[in-house]
Amino acid sequence: MTSISLTRFLIEEQRSRRQITPDLRLLIEVVARACKHISLAIGRGALGGVLGDAGAINVQGEAQKKLDVLSNEILLEANEWGGHLAALASEEMDEPHLIPHRYPKGNYLLVFDPLDGSSNIDVNISVGTIFSVLRCPEGVTEPVAEHFLQPGTEQVAAGYTVYGPSTLLVLTTGSGVHQFTLDREIGSFVLTRRDLRIPEDTSEFAINMSNQRHWEPPMQRYIQELLEGKAGPRGRDFNMRWVASMVADVHRIMTRGGVFFYPLDAKTRDKGGKLRLLYEANPMAFLVEQAGGAATDGRQRLLERRPLALHQRVPVFLGSRNEIERVTRMHLEHDAART
Ligand code: AHG
Ligand code: MN
Ligand code: MN
């Protein structure tokens, strides 16, 4: 069997579908190359002196790990000079990063969570990078935060990498979801699964159960029904998995189905939720929908939300369609009964 590299895959997509422009192809290749560097740094672990805290707090109010900072720098440096971007925005930076004047500018905006699940690094559990590509609004040469505030339906590409037992890149440009595995000897991403599909039904869920007492009533009820298993209203047993790296939890769902929830809870209510709309929720929602799954904030399709701020947080419900529809319906019925 001929192995298909990411480069070949993108060139063939560009020829057959035309939705991938040369600049978008360059952008995806540059992000993939940066992710190889991140993968290398993570792989060296303690030997590379990259574990532990950076000693700073980011705009999210979270303590940064050395690898959060390093991954952010790797992605910035890789993407600055290619001429394909107008600006970048990252979970780890207060404001958008403009392309320095010495380089040409392109028409795309790149948004990323450089390292997702970074609390897991020091215990050697899978982490990842999440990214999303938007178009820079026409006529804008110096993009500011408001130019990034586009609904998720406007994304032209999204993807994530998982730095796990193997390094994977999972990508969509709007025509299905495809998986590439890093061949460490050759140094390139190779297509290993085409057209990932999430089954409509599942018996596996992912949620941080320690927040149970802080959830809203419909969430409490939905999970309670799952926990009651065969003897309860659902009439079957459910299994629970929670890696606490969104990339790893979403990748399990991409592989064998399941649902992932980070619902609203009393602790994060004031902030709107835990996960970030632009860096985490929207790219994952795009990928999940492209794989036949569903993604909501518990009430509304995530991709249709109009972002109000760069670092906005939202509740996230995604995965196997029938479960996501069910839990979303329960939230809407709860709201309707209260009015
Ligand atoms: P990040 O490391 O980018 O801040 O994201 C962490 C996120 C996500 O990966 C994960 O699903 C969730 O936070 C874990 O939350 P808990 O701490 O509640 O387990
Ligand atoms: Mn994250
Ligand atoms: Mn992060």
Side-chain angles (χ1 to χ4, degrees), residues 58 60 62 68 90-92 112-119 128-130 276 279-280:
N58 67 11
Q60 322 279 336
E62 297 163 341
D68 282 321
S90 158
E91 183 187 279
E92 302 297 341
F112 52 83
D113 175 355
L115 204 58
D116 175 66
S118 51
S119 66
T129 298
I130 310 172
R276 274 96 356 174
Y279 315 112
E280 296 168 318

Side-chain angles (χ1 to χ4, degrees), residues 30 45 62 65 87 91 99-100 118 131 163 266 271 277 309 316 333:
V30 170
E62 297 163 341
K65 297 279 179 188
E91 183 187 279
I99 299 299
S118 51
F131 66 94
Y163 312 111
K271 294 178 180 166
L277 178 56
V316 173
E333 282 167 6

